[in-house]
Amino acid sequence: PRRNLVKKIIEGVASLDKIVTNLLIYTRPIKADLRPTNLVEYVNEVLAYLEVEIENQTLPIRIKREFPSRPVNSRIDPSLMQQVLLNIFHNAVHAMKENGGCLTIRLSRDRNGTKAESQAKSKQRRFVELLVEDEGVGMSEEVQKKIFNPFFTTREDGTGLGLAIAKKMIQEQNGQIHVFSRPGIGTKITILLPYYP
């Protein structure tokens, strides 16, 4: 009984530590150290971490890459973007944990930004599009409207800060993030980052 109690205390402290760490990240100003990066190579490196986790947990999830053969260049902060991608990848894996499925990662060049951004600038900016699509449980429209709100979560072990932090980090890198989901079908997360030829 004492061991079980100690185990619960350790789990509780780890959970609190995670919440406090995320809260500090969210409240502090973020300054991106932008560097020219080939996203094809970079996203592949981040996916390698995820593949090890999926294999270790023997989850029925496969990863499908749809990348161009040529480099796809942007200016990102590699450290910040790794946190963003791992958070989004982990959410996708969690959504498919029970029934499994395919996690599709797609990269494409020369996408335009939102209409508001296009109208605000006389010269339209070009973006790299990074799409993360899962075959998980999906989300209702009501949940989709709240997922970037701090402390909103649908997971028992979630802090509700992961996607709020991800959005803040992407905006600091001059990017955008959008979500589209359907219950029982899956979720698409689209990240737009400035394209540099």
Side-chain angles (χ1 to χ4, degrees):
R2 287 178 182 171
R3 282 181 185 163
N4 287 337
L5 181 61
V6 170
K7 186 180 175 186
K8 291 286 183 189
I9 291 169
I10 290 169
E11 287 173 358
V13 170
S15 177
L16 286 171
D17 182 56
K18 184 179 176 184
I19 292 169
V20 171
T21 301
N22 283 337
L23 188 58
L24 288 171
I25 292 169
Y26 182 75
T27 54
R28 285 177 180 163
I30 296 172
K31 184 63 181 169
D33 179 17
L34 300 177
R35 303 174 194 174
T37 305
N38 174 8
L39 292 179
V40 174
E41 290 179 359
Y42 179 79
V43 175
N44 260 322
E45 287 174 13
V46 179
L47 280 173
Y49 294 114
L50 185 70
E51 285 174 322
V52 170
E53 288 184 36
I54 290 171
E55 191 176 324
N56 287 342
Q57 296 179 47
T58 60
L59 297 173
I61 295 170
R62 58 192 172 87
I63 294 175
K64 181 181 177 184
R65 293 167 169 84
E66 294 183 3
F67 297 164
S69 56
R70 291 165 58 191
V72 177
N73 299 314
S74 184
R75 285 172 59 83
I76 63 167
D77 182 315
S79 176
L80 293 183
M81 190 53 67
Q82 184 182 51
Q83 291 179 62
V84 168
L85 292 181
L86 285 176
N87 185 287
I88 291 170
F89 293 161
H90 285 143
N91 285 349
V93 167
H94 188 270
M96 294 191 288
K97 216 164 192 175
E98 286 187 24
N99 301 318
C102 181
L103 176 61
T104 302
I105 317 295
R106 185 180 304 127
L107 263 173
S108 52
R109 299 182 296 174
D110 295 345
R111 297 299 171 113
N112 294 327
T114 62
K115 285 183 181 177
E117 176 140 5
S118 300
Q119 290 167 356
K121 302 198 174 189
S122 56
K123 195 172 183 182
Q124 201 172 44
R125 290 175 69 185
R126 292 189 300 171
F127 285 84
V128 171
E129 181 182 85
L130 172 59
L131 177 73
V132 181
E133 183 176 3
D134 68 56
E135 295 177 344
V137 293
M139 296 178 281
S140 66
E141 283 188 32
E142 187 179 339
V143 169
Q144 288 177 66
K145 290 174 184 173
K146 298 176 182 175
I147 62 165
F148 295 116
N149 293 350
F151 303 108
F152 176 80
T153 183
T154 57
R155 289 166 54 174
E156 288 181 12
D157 60 341
T159 62
L161 285 167
L163 286 175
I165 291 169
K167 183 176 182 179
K168 187 176 179 180
M169 288 179 171
I170 288 168
Q171 288 175 337
E172 182 61 31
Q173 296 171 89
N174 305 309
Q176 306 168 13
I177 183 168
H178 307 283
V179 61
F180 175 76
S181 186
R182 291 171 66 189
I185 304 294
T187 300
K188 294 180 183 179
I189 301 278
T190 304
I191 297 172
L192 297 175
L193 295 164
Y195 171 59
Y196 290 89

